[in-house]
């Protein structure tokens, strides 16, 4: 199965069936693709990472990836300096690709009872594919 198809199927499942947020979906998909185990504390830490609990702050797709870069970097014995530099490069690259790091910009409709819960399906799929490729080009040689 192609990675894009895998991401699309998993995002649909995680959003529609499991009702998990973008950061958690991102972490789970990347962990599967790079054969990394996530403990429950990591999943718990991602609970509020969808724009800071729907506040509209930094996007959960970014937050989840930054967490994953640290997890994967340490799994590969990379220094703190290399991980931090990779995170900085990622943030800049993501912002150039998607126009912002903020949930309020990427999801201008916001969150609320009248707003469908998973409006970010398309951008989630694109961002996780972007994240996958970023890892392949910056951390996994």
């Amino acid at each position: 199965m192609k990675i894009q198809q895998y991401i699309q199927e998993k995002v649909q499942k995680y959003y529609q069936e499991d009702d998990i947020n973008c950061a958690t979906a991102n972490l789970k998909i990347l962990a599967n693709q790079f054969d990394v185990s996530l403990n429950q504390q990591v999943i718990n830490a991602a609970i509020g990472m969808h724009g800071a609990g729907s506040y509209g702050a930094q996007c959960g797709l970014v937050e989840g990836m930054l967490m994953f870069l640290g997890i994967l970097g340490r799994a590969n014995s990379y220094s703190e300096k290399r991980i931090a530099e990779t995170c900085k490069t990622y943030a800049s690259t993501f912002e150039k690709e998607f126009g912002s790091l903020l949930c309020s910009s990427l999801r201008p409709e916001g969150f609320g009872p009248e707003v469908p819960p998973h409006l970010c399906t398309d951008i989630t799929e694109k961002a996780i594919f972007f994240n996958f490729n970023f890892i392949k080009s910056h951390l996994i040689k």
Side-chain angles (χ1 to χ4, degrees):
M1 175 184 306
K2 290 184 178 183
I3 184 64
Q4 284 181 295
Q5 182 183 354
Y6 172 81
I7 291 169
Q8 184 178 36
E9 288 176 9
K10 283 299 190 180
V11 167
Q12 292 295 323
K13 178 193 182 306
Y14 289 150
Y15 279 9
Q16 302 306 320
E17 295 175 28
D18 300 341
D19 196 30
I20 63 175
N21 68 27
C22 53
T24 306
N26 191 17
L27 283 163
K28 287 184 169 198
I29 290 168
L30 294 174
N32 177 275
Q33 289 302 299
F34 292 101
D35 198 29
V36 172
S37 295
L38 298 177
N39 68 38
Q40 190 59 45
Q41 283 183 313
V42 172
I43 300 302
N44 293 346
I47 289 172
M49 289 188 177
H50 52 291
S54 303
Y55 182 75
Q58 185 166 273
C59 175
L61 295 166
V62 174
E63 292 174 320
M65 176 63 162
L66 294 173
M67 288 177 64
F68 191 74
L69 290 172
I71 293 166
L72 186 63
R74 279 300 196 202
N76 285 289
S77 301
Y78 296 150
S79 69
E80 286 183 24
K81 182 179 179 184
R82 180 173 179 188
I83 294 167
E85 287 172 353
T86 302
C87 288
K88 183 177 180 179
T89 299
Y90 167 75
S92 173
T93 307
F94 185 96
E95 188 172 40
K96 286 176 187 156
E97 179 72 18
F98 294 96
S100 180
L101 300 175
L102 296 177
C103 184
S104 59
S105 296
L106 298 171
R107 183 187 169 118
E109 304 85 355
F111 296 87
E114 69 287 346
V115 180
H118 297 296
L119 287 177
C120 294
T121 301
D122 289 341
I123 194 171
T124 299
E125 292 169 6
K126 290 174 187 166
I128 295 174
F129 184 66
F130 175 85
N131 294 349
F132 173 83
N133 287 320
F134 181 90
I135 290 168
K136 295 287 265 186
S137 65
H138 288 84
L139 281 183
I140 306 296
K141 300 290 179 182

